[in-house]
Amino acid sequence: MTDQARDRAQGPGDPNMDVRAPHPALDPAIAWPTLGMWVRWDGERLDLVSLAPTRGATANQVLLPCSPELLIQLGKISLGGSRAGLYAARLTKDGADHRLVLCQRGWEGAVRISGAVSSIAEPLYGKTRAAMLAAGREQRTAGNQAGAAQWSAMARQLLMAKRASRRGRSVRTVSGGLPTLGKHG
């Protein structure tokens, strides 16, 4: 186990899993979920991140965060339960690593991601859940069964929220099974 993995082994809510803690993707042995986006740089400065192709932008993979709070927020966004904006910033503060990570508004160098989030809702949900499960796997590998259980519980809650959000969408369900299309009052 690497030093970074050991530092993160205490689980959600601990200082080592803080929003600004070292990201698991910094460890080459750990594969972390990413989302495809379009990125434009202005020299060394991040200029634009978009969900759709944009002039001057190149395809790039943006990492999901490792913070439980941010992953829960991404889960809500993916299910339509939150209208919060998506932001991206460099993975490292020193700029040596050009990879980007989804982050909160207000992070140093954060850029709001342009485009309709609904266009990536399904992949965002899947990658968010995958990140939660990956964090749980990392906790289990580090010997922290309690931390792994917390991450697994969060992934299960996201799954249950998705199932609940799908209920009640059909007209028949809303009308109590009665055919109501085309009828007025």
Side-chain angles (χ1 to χ4, degrees), residues 26-123:
L26 292 172
D27 184 347
I30 298 174
W32 198 257
T34 62
L35 278 172
M37 296 188 189
W38 296 85
V39 178
R40 184 172 62 210
W41 295 90
D42 182 14
E44 287 294 311
R45 187 180 67 81
L46 181 60
D47 183 43
L48 172 91
V49 181
S50 176
L51 299 174
T54 306
R55 181 180 304 159
T58 57
N60 203 336
Q61 294 296 315
V62 178
L63 293 160
L64 267 72
C66 59
S67 157
E69 295 82 17
L70 288 176
L71 288 172
I72 289 169
Q73 182 66 27
L74 288 177
K76 289 178 183 177
I77 291 169
S78 72
L79 297 176
S82 172
R83 296 190 60 194
L86 294 175
Y87 292 83
R90 282 192 167 185
L91 180 58
T92 57
K93 287 183 181 182
D94 64 7
D97 195 331
H98 271 67
R99 291 181 293 175
L100 300 176
V101 64
L102 294 176
C103 65
Q104 292 177 318
R105 184 173 128 191
W107 271 27
E108 183 181 335
V111 172
R112 185 175 175 119
I113 298 172
S114 64
V117 176
S118 61
S119 67
I120 64 158
E122 277 300 314

